[in-house]
Amino acid sequence: MTTIAYRDGVLASDSRAYSGDKTPIGSKQKIHRLADGTLLGVSTASIGGDALVRRWVEAGCPAARNDDLKPDSFTALMVRANGDVFYANNNLEWTGPLDVPFIAAGSGEHYALGAMAMGASAERAVEVACELDVWSAHPIRTLRLEG
């Protein structure tokens, strides 16, 4: 469904548009830069789920939320403008800030983590995941922390 990786100020993702067990239906943006400089990457099998997560984060992750956002429907990485890294996995609570040299999420995360453990950049780690994970595909998209 997705590979998202973060290392050294760079958030990278694949762009395969998920269509269940059917042929991929194109590409889409899975990583976003929010108005405050936060980088957000979302992995979800729910159509439109990434937009729901983005709006929830932009609203400050309120406890009272839109019931369309299901806590068990997404995994996300959030990198604040100051470099603090947070992770959410099937939960409406974030863990972090994490003290990690790199992190990945999604169906190809194990491939990406292995690549980064061997020194790969976030972008190269997602490329490796695209080669090995059937749910991840090119093109690779990247965002860099500003400043």
Side-chain angles (χ1 to χ4, degrees):
M1 295 180 307
T2 297
T3 302
I4 301 166
Y6 177 75
R7 180 179 209 157
D8 297 330
V10 176
L11 186 66
S13 77
D14 79 301
S15 59
R16 181 184 191 266
Y18 180 73
S19 60
D21 61 357
K22 301 177 196 79
T23 302
I25 57 173
S27 64
K28 65 181 260 182
Q29 189 72 18
K30 299 178 182 183
I31 56 176
H32 311 277
R33 182 184 314 277
L34 307 185
D36 67 358
T38 295
L39 303 181
L40 176 68
V42 181
S43 173
T44 180
S46 295
I47 294 174
D50 56 337
L52 290 171
V53 173
R54 181 178 179 169
R55 286 195 297 271
W56 173 66
V57 171
E58 288 174 328
C61 305
R65 58 174 174 68
N66 181 327
D67 286 331
D68 291 335
L69 179 58
K70 307 295 185 230
D72 61 348
S73 67
F74 70 93
T75 299
L77 293 177
M78 179 172 58
V79 184
R80 295 286 188 198
N82 66 1
D84 286 348
V85 177
F86 296 84
Y87 177 79
N89 183 28
N90 293 327
N91 195 317
L92 292 177
E93 298 293 330
W94 293 95
T95 187
L98 302 170
D99 184 14
V100 293
F102 52 81
I103 191 168
S107 58
E109 72 182 72
H110 296 99
Y111 302 117
L113 288 169
M116 289 188 289
M118 297 302 294
S121 67
E123 183 174 13
R124 179 64 184 133
V126 175
E127 289 174 357
V128 168
C130 287
E131 293 173 21
L132 301 169
D133 176 40
V134 299
W135 302 111
S136 298
H138 292 269
I140 308 300
R141 308 266 168 81
T142 61
L143 293 172
R144 179 176 293 282
L145 282 178
E146 295 175 341

